[in-house]
Amino acid sequence: MPTRRQPAQSATTNADPKAAPNARAAGGRRASAKPDVRGVGPRGRISADDPRVTLEQEIGSDLYEPIPPFPIKTEREGEFYSLRDGEIFLNIGPHHPATHGVLRLVLKLSGEQIVDVDPVIGYLHRGVEKICENSDYYHVIDQVDPLEYLSSLFQEWPAVMAFEKLMDVEVPRRAEYIRVLTGELLRISSHTLYMGFMALDLGGLTPILYSFIERDEIVEMLASITGARMLFNYYRIGGVNGDLNHEFMSRLGDWMSRAGKQAEAITALLNENEIFLRRMRDVGTMDRATALRYGVTGANIRACGVPFDLRRAHPYSVYPEIDFNIPTREEGDSLARYLMRVDEIKESIRIIDQCLHQMPDGPIMAKLPRLLRPRPGRAWAAVEAPRGSLGVYAMSDGTDQPFRFRIHDPSFMHLGVVPHMLPGNLLADTMAIVSSLDPVMGGVDR
Amino acid sequence: MTALMRTMETVRGRVAAAVRSYAWDHLTLAERVVYLAGPVLLLGLGFAAVFGYWAGGPVVDFVAGRLGIVRFFVSVTAILLLTVPTAFVIIYMELKVIARMNLRVGPNRVGPFGAVMSVIHGLKVLSKEDFAPTGVDLGVFTLAPLITFLASVMTLLVVPFAPALVGQDLNIGLLYFFALGGLTVVGLLMAGWASFNKYSLLGGLRSAAQIVSYEIPLTLSVVGVIILAGTMSLNHIVAAQSGSALDWFVFKQPLAALIFFIAATAEANRTPFDMTEADSEIVAGFATEYSGMRFGFFFFAEYVNVFIVSALTATLFFGGWTAPFDSPVHVNLNWFDPFSISAPVWGAIVLSVLWFGTLFLALVVRLLGGRSWGVIDSLALGGLLLVLGLAGLIGLAAFISIDWIRDLSWFMAKTYVFVFTFVWMRATLPRVRIDQLMGFAWKWLLPASLLNLFVTATAVVLLNR
Amino acid sequence: MDRTLKNRLEVRLAGLTRGPVRQRYDETEIRVSPGDAPKVLTILHDSIDLRFEILADLAGVDTGAEMQVVYHLWSPASDDWLRVVAEGISRDDPRAPSATFLWPGAEWLEREAYDMFGIVFEGNRDLRRILMPADYLSFPLRKDFLLGDDASRTPGAGVRHSERAQVPATPAGGDPAVRRAPAS
């Protein structure tokens, strides 16, 4: 029979008595008991390598302390971490099968209904902005790929655009068309994957695999020109890194002939499913004003009725020459956000078609010196990534490393609107709402 | 004298040392089993023979006098033993069928086509460390999976696999079934409470609410069947559907069948009603803190539940062990007396069939397969095909001529059709939210089942008049 | 480049900007002092002919000599992006007013600027760390952030060479190792 161990009672607890629903008897070790002398390290702390030391001695009993573990500093924190009668905290922790990456949601529940939520991010923070301040301009493109790893060309694009503004470089037209073509392909892949993950979070096991089959075809296509399947490192300052080749064109041709029907097949499994529709309709509704004030962009704001798409609102690259629509929906609920992305896939197929027909000949890279030294100054560029508007603010001081490289990520803003959208819904809707916003934690945390 | 004793000591020491150290370590596992189990079995058989000869008479008299109790014990043991292979088969089916629906392959490494996968899962679950997290109430924590498992398994006692193959033919069989089905709620609540965990508590409460809500339409939908059959004994309900396929209760109670199937899905915590174990929401619900064999019991209980619910659907609405059509072939095997042929002739017939059959099939394989089939390979394949063919022929003969095999096969076929339907639903459908689930039960299924009950009762009264 | 925007800005924001309105490619830039930032943002947001309703970004910048808060805005009435640079924030006690009264979404952006630079936004109800752990002590994106100093304060401190504290030498005129932005 395994023995039951009582955790030590720490003297420095700031426990709210209502926050711990199961009061534990103070058995076992007392707070004043010294830890066992073995394993005390040079600084008075337990050495993590000593196998004689138990986990409890190593971590200490504050693992069992109620949330929050640190003293409350701000007004909003105080408001969140004070419990009224009948409320409990539920921690949907960073380790979770369904939170789209390492995201921690501290929910305050009253029964099954959510009263408040505090998203905690930063588990994937890699310090990309700081690293880029010490990298030269080619390395920045490499560093910026793994941010929203599912659509990594869209991370490179605004970086490269900002640097081109600082170096006064004009990109050849063929390179711009190739950028648009590859970008739209990746947008379709990202949206298809979104649909699969949406279904997976609601319980359907099959559509995710169909999404991955679709994504595999697109990613193989891009691998034949960029050399990589996921972190492409393809765009360069002044153009792209390799021209289209025969293998790419043949794969693209095969895929285009099937593209429309494939998208229909995937959506048919979900769009007419009554359970799916009832789980997503009128869940997580966001109105126009909220979306504008919280900086929501991309398909999420277009699902609220605001036709804000950077490809039309602030055209860049060769989008002014391409004819496409901006689909919009009025409801602003999870179903609208889902259907928006289905519509965008169709628009992207149209754009790819036009790119192929209008592709000019010419060079794919502008002529640049080997050592890139931009003029001192500042530049901002933003593109319409699959998740929203991704912007880069680059400051240069005339050396070969950027002085400040700021990345504005859309998923970051979308998670910021979650505390506004989630209260009032049920616990079971948490995942439906958060995954309908399509966050990718790599971009949120940078 | 002392020299002899010393020699004996040395020999004994050497033998013991050899047995202990050298020979034993160099044996393979199979050899060890054989060398240990062989003598033990032989000794056991010897003792059993002596004991049987000496005490056989009184024992047989004792058993014959208490046939009912003995039958009970035997049937309970048989059921407990039956659940394990059934669960294995259903788990394997789920893995493979869902994989194929997901355009994947599923397990294909362990065993032929991955068939041994469930056994491996079972062994894995058995071999895990037995621990309980801090703060759990250990007695309740350990009892919960046992109660859930037993409550599910004991319902198999009244299910009729064939007219004579019933555990206990209780005349309140259906009532017994629903009573035990309600006991699973206790197990789930115990699990949710005893785990020192908010997720588990929420999951256990959700589970309990779901199962309790769906029990009412489940039970009410079956009352129509009881009225039509006039009895609660499952064996008699199946007998009331004998005849042709059109006598099945699904044609007389279609609404009840539908309600029963939906409510049973919720009772078994299967998709689309598996919010309680939704791994994308609250990890594993009430079973979050469970691991090892305790979790194995919950796991088995779920799959046995699937089997039971499918078996009950087949029994109540689709005729149980009755065949949908009369067998077109009526074979009377009595024209052939197997004892009229003497043993050596039998041996010669069997051996020659095996020998010449293998050779013939090996030749066929070699001719069709071409050069790549060597002698040994084609002989092996020929032998395998012969064995399969003979087994098939014997099975067919048994199916046609032996009643209980035929009935059992029909029962299993129907049950597995419904098991497949459950697995299919799991592969395709997303989950229903907990409040939508409850709303559906109370607002739609309950009135529908009441309506069905009234219509059935009225029809029976009017038609009897 | 939107010339009319320059005129409209000069009309609406007379006296509030420091220096001329600069334009390059598709960006227009104005510089304000941090105290005037809320007023400027409100005028930009509410004016009928300006209507900069969408906050595209809020970033902190450490130029080595001072700190800045940089806002990027978008308007349906103009082709250009507008950059508002609130400059002149001191590096020793960086404070700036918060923009959350106009855009609640700025709350997280300001939290990030606080986390990375130490800029305290007055009026932000939830100014705590967002990307780094709650008990972290340094401000990583500052130009005087040294990895050794920071690592020496962590629980695993001092074991490796890169985690030893460097003794910061600050000669007069500032540390030459700290990069400064060119005065442009």
Side-chain angles (χ1 to χ4, degrees):
Chain A
M1 283 275 261
T3 55
R4 194 186 322 183
R5 298 182 305 169
Q6 297 284 356
Q9 297 286 325
S10 165
T12 58
T13 171
N14 60 347
D16 188 0
K18 286 196 192 139
N22 300 316
R24 297 192 299 278
R29 258 183 258 123
R30 298 168 59 82
S32 55
K34 276 176 52 172
D36 203 349
V37 178
R38 325 173 276 195
V40 175
R43 287 171 189 249
R45 269 191 304 275
I46 311 290
S47 160
D49 297 326
D50 190 341
R52 299 168 296 172
V53 177
T54 62
L55 190 67
E56 226 169 276
Q57 285 171 311
E58 192 181 316
I59 295 182
S61 60
D62 54 4
L63 186 65
Y64 298 111
E65 289 303 319
I67 323 169
F70 301 108
I72 292 174
K73 281 189 279 213
T74 70
E75 191 187 325
R76 154 94 179 129
E77 241 186 322
E79 170 193 304
F80 181 78
Y81 286 108
S82 55
L83 279 176
R84 283 194 298 232
D85 203 23
E87 294 176 348
I88 59 168
F89 287 122
L90 187 68
N91 185 41
I92 298 189
H95 295 280
H96 194 89
T99 53
H100 279 256
V102 271
L103 168 67
R104 180 177 170 219
L105 291 170
V106 186
L107 300 169
K108 190 154 76 164
L109 297 173
S110 159
E112 278 263 340
Q113 207 173 36
I114 300 175
V115 171
D116 207 348
V117 62
D118 183 28
V120 179
I121 60 177
Y123 291 94
L124 199 46
H125 179 64
R126 292 163 278 186
V128 169
E129 295 182 3
K130 185 83 180 179
I131 290 176
C132 288
E133 289 178 11
N134 292 324
S135 321
D136 58 355
Y137 285 95
Y138 292 113
H139 197 47
V140 166
I141 297 170
D142 209 3
Q143 282 296 327
V144 104
D145 259 339
L147 291 183
E148 280 190 359
Y149 35 83
L150 297 176
S151 53
S152 44
L153 286 179
F154 286 99
Q155 262 72 256
E156 302 172 15
W157 207 343
V160 150
M161 275 167 66
F163 295 150
E164 282 156 9
K165 285 187 192 173
L166 285 174
M167 294 183 202
D168 303 315
V169 164
E170 197 178 313
V171 181
R173 279 173 46 84
R174 186 175 170 88
E176 292 279 25
Y177 269 97
I178 293 177
R179 283 184 185 174
V180 169
L181 175 64
T182 49
E184 293 301 322
L185 273 175
L186 207 54
R187 189 191 305 273
I188 294 176
S189 158
S190 172
H191 282 328
T192 319
L193 209 57
Y194 160 81
M195 283 155 51
F197 275 117
M198 190 78 224
L200 187 66
D201 287 337
L202 293 179
L205 307 170
T206 319
I208 184 75
L209 287 140
Y210 297 165
S211 294
F212 268 107
I213 292 177
E214 185 72 15
R215 177 177 166 87
D216 203 54
E217 290 179 19
I218 293 177
V219 135
E220 282 290 329
M221 245 190 269
L222 290 172
S224 60
I225 40 172
T226 65
R229 279 168 60 105
M230 185 154 149
L231 304 177
F232 299 103
N233 198 3
Y234 181 53
Y235 295 171
R236 296 282 180 269
I237 302 174
V240 290
N241 189 30
D243 208 343
L244 309 177
N245 54 25
H246 180 69
E247 188 186 344
F248 176 79
M249 299 307 287
S250 70
R251 278 188 199 253
L252 185 61
D254 282 341
W255 179 81
M256 287 289 284
S257 60
R258 292 190 306 257
K261 289 194 297 288
Q262 196 87 312
E264 296 284 329
I266 298 177
T267 56
L269 192 60
L270 293 171
N271 279 13
E272 281 120 35
N273 190 323
E274 184 64 32
I275 300 175
F276 187 71
L277 293 177
R278 282 186 66 194
R279 283 284 302 267
M280 304 240 297
R281 193 174 279 138
D282 293 328
V283 160
T285 315
M286 193 165 43
D287 60 327
R288 236 186 110 104
T290 311
L292 282 172
R293 291 182 320 150
Y294 276 86
V296 173
T297 49
N300 296 332
I301 200 175
R302 292 195 284 280
C304 300
V306 179
F308 179 67
D309 184 333
L310 277 180
R311 296 174 289 178
R312 283 269 188 264
H314 192 97
Y316 54 96
S317 190
V318 290
Y319 281 109
E321 302 170 20
I322 301 179
D323 174 38
F324 62 100
N325 301 326
I326 310 289
T328 340
R329 287 185 179 260
E330 298 297 322
E331 305 94 33
D333 55 4
S334 297
L335 187 61
R337 290 192 279 271
Y338 172 83
L339 291 173
M340 269 301 304
R341 290 179 172 91
V342 176
D343 296 337
E344 284 190 3
I345 292 180
K346 301 193 184 106
E347 290 300 322
S348 291
I349 296 178
R350 273 182 67 192
I351 296 177
I352 293 175
D353 205 23
Q354 290 174 53
C355 275
L356 284 175
H357 286 127
Q358 296 174 15
M359 177 89 59
D361 292 321
I364 49 164
M365 271 285 278
K367 294 255 181 292
L368 289 174
R370 250 181 74 107
L371 198 56
L372 295 169
R373 279 185 195 275
R375 58 174 170 80
R378 299 158 297 283
W380 160 267
V383 301
E384 181 74 16
R387 281 159 193 90
S389 82
L390 180 67
V392 162
Y393 175 54
M395 286 175 71
S396 140
D397 57 349
T399 62
D400 59 348
Q401 293 175 340
F403 183 79
R404 170 83 169 104
F405 187 77
R406 154 79 182 161
I407 303 152
H408 171 85
D409 190 86
S411 304
F412 185 77
M413 310 303 293
H414 297 161
L415 283 184
V417 83
V418 161
H420 186 86
M421 258 188 6
L422 215 48
N425 287 295
L426 296 179
L427 175 61
D429 288 330
T430 313
M431 284 310 146
I433 295 173
V434 171
S435 74
S436 77
L437 294 172
D438 200 9
V440 170
M441 294 313 291
V444 173
D445 291 339
R446 267 155 286 144
Chain B
M1 195 56 183
T2 49
L4 181 63
M5 278 169 65
R6 238 182 292 129
T7 325
M8 274 175 61
E9 284 289 335
T10 327
V11 165
R12 192 194 317 152
R14 288 236 180 93
V15 164
V19 165
R20 260 201 322 269
S21 64
Y22 178 85
W24 186 250
D25 287 342
H26 284 248
L27 289 178
T28 65
L29 180 63
E31 285 174 339
R32 288 183 191 182
V33 168
V34 166
Y35 290 150
L36 270 185
V40 168
L41 267 180
L42 283 174
L43 276 177
L45 277 175
F47 275 123
V50 166
F51 183 73
Y53 182 72
W54 176 62
V59 167
V60 168
D61 290 334
F62 178 82
V63 164
R66 291 161 183 71
L67 204 54
I69 296 182
V70 170
R71 185 167 187 272
F72 176 71
F73 275 110
V74 167
S75 57
V76 167
T77 314
I79 284 170
L80 285 174
L81 291 177
L82 169 71
T83 55
V84 173
T86 310
F88 280 166
V89 167
I90 298 181
I91 292 171
Y92 175 69
M93 224 176 112
E94 177 151 308
L95 289 172
K96 266 309 222 198
V97 167
I98 292 186
R100 288 288 169 181
M101 288 179 178
N102 285 352
L103 304 178
R104 295 182 287 125
V105 176
N108 63 349
R109 298 276 182 223
V110 259
F113 299 103
V116 183
M117 191 72 200
S118 314
V119 179
I120 302 293
H121 271 315
L123 286 176
K124 169 197 79 172
V125 146
L126 266 177
S127 64
K128 288 199 176 177
E129 178 186 352
D130 174 29
F131 73 97
T134 309
V136 305
D137 188 345
L138 201 59
V140 180
F141 190 73
T142 312
L143 269 182
L146 290 178
I147 291 183
T148 313
F149 181 73
L150 283 176
S152 306
V153 163
M154 294 319 294
T155 52
L156 272 177
L157 200 66
V158 289
V159 171
F161 293 87
L165 276 184
V166 189
Q168 285 289 126
D169 193 4
L170 300 177
N171 59 355
I172 51 164
L174 213 46
L175 188 63
Y176 166 86
F177 180 87
F178 289 123
L180 275 181
L183 211 52
T184 53
V185 182
V186 177
L188 296 179
L189 277 174
M190 285 167 70
W193 179 257
S195 321
F196 189 54
N197 187 345
K198 276 176 220 172
Y199 283 132
S200 305
L201 190 60
L202 275 178
L205 291 175
R206 275 180 177 178
S207 253
Q210 176 184 325
I211 292 185
V212 162
S213 317
Y214 277 89
E215 264 177 11
I216 302 183
L218 188 76
T219 325
L220 280 180
S221 63
V222 160
V223 177
V225 168
I226 298 177
I227 293 178
L228 281 181
T231 168
M232 279 199 273
S233 157
L234 282 171
N235 215 359
H236 288 113
I237 289 180
V238 173
Q241 299 177 63
S242 59
S244 74
L246 293 175
D247 283 331
W248 288 352
F249 284 149
V250 68
F251 299 109
K252 300 180 187 166
Q253 296 263 292
L255 184 60
L258 193 61
I259 295 173
F260 182 82
F261 195 69
I262 297 175
T265 319
E267 285 286 309
N269 275 337
R270 294 286 293 184
T271 316
F273 302 113
D274 63 345
M275 189 53 100
T276 59
E277 43 180 61
D279 64 341
S280 65
E281 314 261 339
I282 44 176
V283 192
F286 58 86
T288 311
E289 298 287 353
Y290 280 87
S291 72
M293 201 54 207
R294 296 193 182 98
F295 181 73
F297 270 117
F298 276 127
F299 194 56
F300 267 26
E302 175 181 341
Y303 290 106
V304 171
N305 240 338
V306 168
F307 177 79
I308 290 167
V309 153
S310 314
L312 212 68
T313 314
T315 310
L316 291 173
F317 294 102
F318 285 88
W321 41 257
T322 61
F325 49 83
D326 262 342
S327 170
V329 177
H330 292 277
V331 170
N332 189 3
L333 278 183
N334 288 336
W335 59 270
F336 174 64
D337 180 18
F339 291 105
S340 64
I341 306 183
S342 60
V345 179
W346 260 123
I349 292 178
V350 168
L351 279 177
S352 55
V353 163
L354 286 177
W355 179 244
F356 287 111
T358 309
L359 279 182
F360 174 68
L361 284 175
L363 200 60
V364 169
V365 165
R366 177 65 196 260
L367 284 175
L368 288 179
R371 290 247 155 222
S372 58
W373 283 93
V375 175
I376 306 285
D377 290 339
S378 43
L379 275 177
L381 189 61
L384 185 65
L385 285 175
L386 179 71
V387 166
L388 286 177
L390 283 179
L393 280 176
I394 294 175
L396 193 61
F399 185 80
I400 292 175
S401 55
I402 304 182
D403 280 342
W404 64 270
I405 290 188
R406 187 191 65 224
D407 292 332
L408 182 64
S409 315
W410 275 115
F411 177 82
M412 284 299 183
K414 290 177 197 174
T415 306
Y416 275 97
V417 164
F418 290 111
V419 170
F420 176 77
T421 311
F422 276 114
V423 172
W424 189 6
M425 286 200 297
R426 178 162 187 192
T428 348
L429 298 173
R431 274 179 212 113
V432 180
R433 209 175 60 198
I434 189 78
D435 64 321
Q436 292 170 348
L437 205 153
M438 307 286 267
F440 182 60
W442 290 100
K443 290 193 269 192
W444 290 95
L445 285 188
L446 180 59
S449 52
L450 282 174
L451 177 71
N452 177 61
L453 180 57
F454 285 141
V455 167
T456 309
T458 316
V460 163
V461 164
L462 287 180
L463 287 176
N464 277 353
R465 191 156 293 187
Chain C
M1 199 170 312
D2 192 355
R3 305 265 177 226
T4 62
L5 182 61
K6 181 167 168 159
N7 299 335
R8 282 181 277 158
L9 285 172
E10 282 166 351
V11 164
R12 288 281 178 179
L13 300 175
L16 289 169
T17 56
R18 288 186 186 177
V21 175
R22 296 186 217 187
Q23 294 187 311
R24 192 169 200 135
Y25 286 119
D26 57 349
E27 300 158 41
T28 305
E29 178 181 308
I30 56 174
R31 299 195 164 227
V32 298
S33 73
D36 293 331
K39 207 181 332 175
V40 167
L41 290 173
T42 321
I43 295 174
L44 290 170
H45 184 266
D46 294 337
S47 306
I48 305 286
D49 57 345
L50 290 176
R51 277 194 296 148
F52 279 98
E53 284 155 4
I54 291 189
L55 175 71
D57 192 23
L58 194 162
V61 175
D62 180 5
T63 59
E66 62 172 16
M67 289 212 183
Q68 301 171 346
V69 176
V70 179
Y71 303 84
H72 284 89
L73 304 166
W74 183 84
S75 159
S78 163
D79 284 338
D80 279 7
W81 293 102
L82 180 66
R83 182 183 308 132
V84 180
V85 180
E87 59 177 6
I89 303 174
S90 85
R91 290 188 76 230
D92 301 314
D93 181 27
R95 299 192 158 264
S98 165
T100 48
F101 65 99
L102 266 183
W103 291 288
E107 189 182 301
W108 274 33
L109 291 164
E110 289 172 357
R111 275 177 72 181
E112 189 188 345
Y114 166 71
D115 192 6
M116 295 286 123
F117 293 95
I119 304 175
V120 172
F121 288 89
E122 282 145 355
N124 187 323
R125 286 185 67 219
D126 196 14
L127 199 68
R128 54 190 161 120
R129 292 206 178 251
I130 188 171
L131 293 175
M132 305 308 291
D135 57 346
Y136 193 68
L137 294 171
S138 322
F139 296 110
L141 277 177
R142 290 175 67 112
K143 293 295 182 193
D144 55 358
F145 172 81
L146 283 170
L147 200 58
D149 282 344
D150 179 62
S152 68
R153 281 184 288 214
T154 57
V159 173
R160 292 193 292 277
H161 169 75
S162 61
E163 293 169 3
R164 301 279 166 71
Q166 322 283 328
V167 177
T170 44
D175 189 352
V178 174
R179 289 172 72 183
R180 283 190 175 65
S184 55

